[in-house]
Amino acid sequence: MRIFVTGASGWIGSAVVPELIDAGHQVVGLARSDASAAALTAAGAEVVRGTVDDLDVLRDAAAASDGVIHLAFKHDIAFSGGFQGAAEADRRAVDALGTALVGTDRPFVIASGVAGLAPGRVSTEQDTATANGSPITIRAATAQAVLDLARQGVRSSVVRLSATCHGDGDNGFMATLVATARAKGVSGYVGDGANRWPAVHRLDAAHLFRLAVEKAPAGSVLHGVAEEGVALRDVAEVIGRHLDVPVTSVAPENAAEHFAWLAAFVGIDAPASNALTRGLLAWEPTHPGLLEDLDKGHYFQAPTTTA
């Protein structure tokens, strides 16, 4: 298949592209910079220049493809406190991509998340987020819009990714927790730290995206979850050991001061099952779990500085 991938040079996309090419697919990647374009070309993909805000570019590229995987998200804005704006931009991009695919029976796979589905219990692929107007549920509404395209001749599916998609080179939640511990001199967790985050290695996630675009039935919800739930206190303890800093509880009322924008996420209890996904697509995660990956040490390499 000729597959259009947004976010193709990003954290997950840079693993999805070789996964697709190695399976015999032709990849066309969206690139917003010369560096991204060069990385995609080196990986063996074609390049379409543009951003997720270039809706005409998205529509045209989707229309010229045999399928679409949408991974792009304005993480730079989201990770600096602008999650809502990033989620709203994502919805506009998804609507543009979906419009181009209506009536084609082509696959359309997007990335979403499991956070907020079923606080306090293990969520499944059958759960839906409660619409409460939060940025998290804005993304959930976007995912539902994609699933609804199944009634309009699109083989749509949603991969709900774990709260952390980890691996060497990660600059997301785990890297931010490490940076916070380094800056504060303590490795913190909220309350008793018993809240759980599901986790998946990015290479396992990439494999799931390939399986989804190849064979997920229309309207499928898939969980990119390798580990059902890792306690945040356990994460904090590994970080504290590697940085040689104390591990301490942060009271919920002090979380915003300690964790900044990450406070909205670090106290969430969001365990999630992958049983239905594994049964549907025969997906079997094989890469290291979160704590094992943290213990490899790559998250703790000293930040580089330039003169």
Side-chain angles (χ1 to χ4, degrees):
M1 290 191 291
R2 178 181 173 88
I3 302 172
F4 177 50
V5 182
T6 73
S9 62
W11 172 235
I12 299 173
S14 59
V16 169
V17 168
E19 174 79 24
L20 292 171
I21 291 174
D22 288 349
H25 299 294
Q26 180 182 6
V27 175
V28 180
L30 184 70
R32 64 177 179 174
S33 68
D34 291 343
S36 293
L40 289 173
T41 299
E46 294 182 27
V47 175
V48 170
R49 293 300 296 262
T51 74
V52 291
D53 294 319
D54 295 324
L55 303 185
D56 288 340
V57 171
L58 298 182
R59 278 189 287 265
D60 290 346
S65 73
D66 298 314
V68 174
I69 298 177
H70 175 55
L71 302 172
F73 192 74
K74 294 184 175 183
H75 290 102
D76 51 345
I77 296 173
F79 283 4
S80 60
F83 195 93
Q84 180 160 339
E88 291 171 348
D90 184 55
R91 176 57 185 270
R92 292 190 293 269
V94 162
D95 287 345
L97 293 164
T99 297
L101 296 173
V102 167
T104 66
D105 291 323
R106 297 172 188 166
F108 181 24
V109 186
I110 74 161
S112 189
V114 299
L117 286 175
R121 68 170 175 81
V122 178
S123 66
T124 75
E125 293 88 339
Q126 296 175 324
D127 284 311
T128 57
T130 301
N132 60 12
S134 74
I136 289 175
T137 56
I138 292 173
R139 290 205 80 184
T142 298
Q144 187 58 52
V146 170
L147 296 175
D148 290 343
L149 289 170
R151 297 195 296 267
Q152 300 181 58
V154 180
R155 184 161 63 81
S156 59
S157 61
V158 172
V159 176
R160 293 174 179 162
L161 287 169
S162 299
T164 180
C165 186
H166 57 88
D168 193 355
D170 177 16
N171 288 312
F173 286 161
M174 283 301 112
T176 303
L177 284 174
V178 171
T180 299
R182 183 178 277 119
K184 297 286 186 177
V186 298
S187 180
Y189 54 87
V190 175
D192 64 4
N195 62 298
R196 298 152 292 175
W197 277 12
V200 66
H201 194 283
R202 76 168 185 135
L203 297 180
D204 286 321
H207 183 54
L208 179 57
F209 277 103
R210 175 171 70 81
L211 294 177
V213 79
E214 288 177 343
K215 60 183 182 179
S220 297
V221 175
L222 309 167
H223 274 189
V225 172
E227 294 177 282
E228 188 173 278
V230 181
L232 266 291
R233 179 166 184 166
D234 292 341
V235 171
E237 287 175 347
V238 175
I239 293 173
R241 185 172 72 251
H242 277 268
L243 294 181
D244 194 24
V245 298
V247 179
T248 187
S249 171
V250 176
E253 61 269 23
N254 297 327
E257 179 183 356
H258 185 89
F259 293 105
W261 64 267
L262 192 59
F265 302 93
V266 75
I268 289 176
D269 186 43
S273 169
N274 67 10
L276 296 178
T277 299
R278 290 169 68 135
L280 182 66
L281 298 180
W283 177 60
E284 293 293 338
T286 60
H287 290 86
L290 176 58
L291 299 182
E292 180 184 352
D293 200 17
L294 282 169
D295 255 335
K296 289 180 179 294
H298 52 81
Y299 278 97
F300 306 99
Q301 296 173 2
T304 57
T305 58
T306 56

